[in-house]
Amino acid sequence: MNDVIYLDNNATSRVAPEVLEAMQPFFTDLYGNASSMYTFGGKVEKYIQEARAKAAALLGAQPEEIIFTSCGSESDATTILSALQTQPGKRHLITTRVEHAAILSLCQHLEAEGYDVTYLDVDEKGRLDLNQLESSMRDDTALVSVMFANNETGTIFPIERIADMVKSRGILFHTDAVQATGKLPINLSTLPADFLSVSGHKLHSPKGIGMLYVRRGTPFAPFLRGGHQERGRRAGTENAPYIVGLGKACELAMNNMQYERTEVARLRDRLQQGLLEKIPDAIINGDQEHRLPNTLNIAFKAVEGEAILLMLDRYGICASSGSACTSGSLESSHVLRAMKVPFTYAHGSVRFSLSRYNTEEEIDYVVKVMPGIIAELRAISPFA
Ligand code: PLP
């Protein structure tokens, strides 16, 4: 067994060895600028186009609809700012209460600048009310942005239906697919989204690379202006090693998708079942029927999530909690608050997110140590 049992893949993931291998020549031999006139640069450009084709294939898109960016946050921000800039008369945005900060904090900033934002509610399982979406769309709505799947609970939204509803009103639609890409099939030849965001480091390529899908013909304003890279849609010398790495990661994701959806899900279910069987007063956060195959968000009554993480750390187990220590007091995450998870459970929430690199032995080890951790913490808990 590894020294570290890494169960925090929704935070970031290890770089696949095949990805690292594909990237290496671009630091040593193939260091030319892809935009240069000479053959040495042109060779790099050829590999970038190959990576673009692999990325497009994973999403059911055309290669020219893919823009390489630096991360998921850049892809999200580019979309929102582009939608507002290309439609100056429209000053209303619709998103959800459970988006990642990459969306929410920009929306809050835009509200302070005078834009109007509607945040859609979720129910106790984290599901959206589509009637609320229908009644929130207005003539001045510039963009609807709804994540494909939630990073904390793994809840998957009915993106096809949402996209159809939004497009039937003639409004631009964006989905943050940072957590879904590589874990779920995405087919933009049938999904009518205008924009879709991806982050490389959630799919076994390095941090510092992402991509944005922009449907052909969609009005677009670049976030970074400068050189003519990415067909004038994102300036900055192409990050060839990382682009090639992301292309390789997309190819691997396509090949491993079935494994992810069956074997990784099996390990996740084994973890869930083992914990629920051995630990009383535990509940699952999120929609178990529509959930990412790798994600388990489990809440233990009357314990603090951060204390659980510290104890897990002693055993070399990495996970995330559903609460964050802000100004000395523990506040549960905005996602769990939006779901109205009861206080005594929300604070004891832990997210385990698996990858194809996890083993059954690792899962069984977590199931073995966890009951003792919870019992020890409950023994000293003021809430127990
Ligand atoms: N969107 C979602 C749903 C995420 O989970 C994350 C990262 O956790 C991001 C966006 C931001 O991605 P990046 O870290 O590549 O900026």
Side-chain angles (χ1 to χ4, degrees):
M1 203 153 54
N2 294 325
D3 291 347
V4 164
I5 297 181
Y6 189 74
L7 298 172
D8 203 14
N9 287 276
N10 288 9
T12 196
S13 64
R14 76 174 270 195
V15 174
E18 299 93 329
V19 167
L20 185 61
E21 194 188 340
M23 291 171 66
Q24 239 138 15
F26 297 86
F27 292 110
T28 48
D29 303 332
L30 292 166
Y31 54 83
N33 187 323
S35 300
S36 305
M37 289 295 292
Y38 38 78
T39 318
F40 186 54
K43 225 169 159 180
V44 176
E45 170 64 12
K46 193 176 89 24
Y47 284 104
I48 288 179
Q49 295 317 341
E50 260 180 45
R52 201 182 301 281
K54 287 175 186 169
L58 179 65
L59 301 176
Q62 297 303 312
E64 63 276 13
E65 294 173 315
I66 302 294
I67 301 173
F68 290 112
T69 62
S70 66
C71 58
S73 302
E74 184 191 324
S75 301
D76 286 346
T78 301
T79 300
I80 293 177
L81 297 174
S82 169
L84 294 174
Q85 217 177 319
T86 57
Q87 306 170 99
K90 299 190 175 183
R91 299 181 63 81
H92 176 234
L93 298 165
I94 300 175
T95 188
T96 78
R97 291 202 185 281
V98 297
E99 297 297 308
H100 188 268
I103 297 282
L104 289 180
S105 98
L106 178 57
C107 284
Q108 283 151 12
H109 170 76
L110 289 165
E111 277 183 294
E113 299 276 301
Y115 290 91
D116 195 7
V117 183
T118 301
Y119 299 93
L120 302 175
D121 299 315
V122 293
D123 68 10
E124 74 292 346
K125 285 192 170 174
R127 295 172 301 197
L128 279 178
D129 174 359
L130 298 190
N131 292 326
Q132 193 193 5
L133 167 62
E134 189 64 61
S135 61
S136 301
M137 288 188 280
R138 313 191 316 213
D139 291 344
D140 69 337
T141 305
L143 179 77
V144 176
S145 179
V146 175
M147 68 201 325
F148 209 116
N150 186 265
N151 44 305
E152 290 190 28
T153 61
T155 297
I156 301 167
F157 287 137
I159 283 300
E160 286 81 5
R161 249 186 92 195
I162 294 170
D164 282 339
M165 285 170 66
V166 176
K167 291 320 294 173
S168 73
R169 294 284 298 264
I171 298 171
L172 291 177
F173 179 67
H174 166 247
T175 183
D176 174 337
V178 163
Q179 294 294 344
T181 310
K183 297 174 191 155
L184 301 175
I186 297 177
N187 186 356
L188 286 157
S189 70
T190 51
L191 171 67
D194 300 293
F195 302 94
L196 181 143
S197 300
V198 176
S199 169
H201 72 103
K202 314 285 183 184
L203 106 139
H204 305 297
S205 81
K207 296 148 193 67
I209 184 74
M211 58 186 178
L212 173 63
Y213 162 87
V214 183
R215 184 172 295 279
R216 187 187 298 176
T218 304
F220 183 77
F223 180 52
L224 282 182
R225 293 174 190 274
H228 58 270
Q229 295 89 356
E230 300 295 308
R231 297 171 167 237
R233 295 172 300 177
R234 202 268 186 187
T237 300
E238 295 89 343
N239 186 355
Y242 284 63
I243 290 173
V244 169
L246 179 55
K248 186 69 189 175
C250 288
E251 182 185 287
L252 293 172
M254 215 145 116
N255 297 339
N256 288 308
M257 180 109 46
Q258 200 46 35
Y259 184 86
E260 185 94 23
R261 296 182 74 201
T262 52
E263 186 55 19
V264 176
R266 187 185 72 77
L267 291 181
R268 187 275 313 271
D269 293 343
R270 186 178 175 91
L271 178 61
Q272 172 172 318
Q273 202 186 337
L275 296 179
L276 288 177
E277 268 172 24
K278 294 198 166 160
I279 303 172
D281 292 325
I283 57 167
I284 305 302
N285 293 322
D287 181 358
Q288 290 185 60
E289 268 173 60
H290 303 102
R291 188 168 51 153
L292 289 174
N294 77 323
T295 306
L296 168 62
N297 191 312
I298 183 164
F300 302 99
K301 192 176 175 188
V303 276
E304 282 177 356
E306 300 213 328
I308 302 173
L309 295 191
L310 290 175
M311 300 276 270
L312 284 172
D313 189 41
R314 289 196 203 154
Y315 295 94
I317 300 166
C318 307
S320 277
S321 83
S323 55
C325 196
T326 42
S327 55
S329 70
L330 276 180
E331 188 171 73
S332 61
S333 84
H334 69 286
V335 175
L336 300 182
R337 273 183 281 140
M339 289 163 62
K340 300 192 173 62
V341 174
F343 174 87
T344 50
Y345 279 98
H347 281 272
S349 295
V350 177
R351 178 189 71 186
F352 295 102
S353 47
L354 286 65
S355 81
R356 59 178 182 266
Y357 296 107
N358 290 120
T359 62
E360 193 166 297
E361 194 189 1
E362 291 179 328
I363 296 305
D364 290 349
Y365 182 69
V366 178
V367 172
K368 194 172 120 201
V369 302
M370 205 58 182
I373 292 177
I374 301 298
E376 199 177 326
L377 291 173
R378 280 184 178 157
I380 54 163
S381 166
F383 307 111

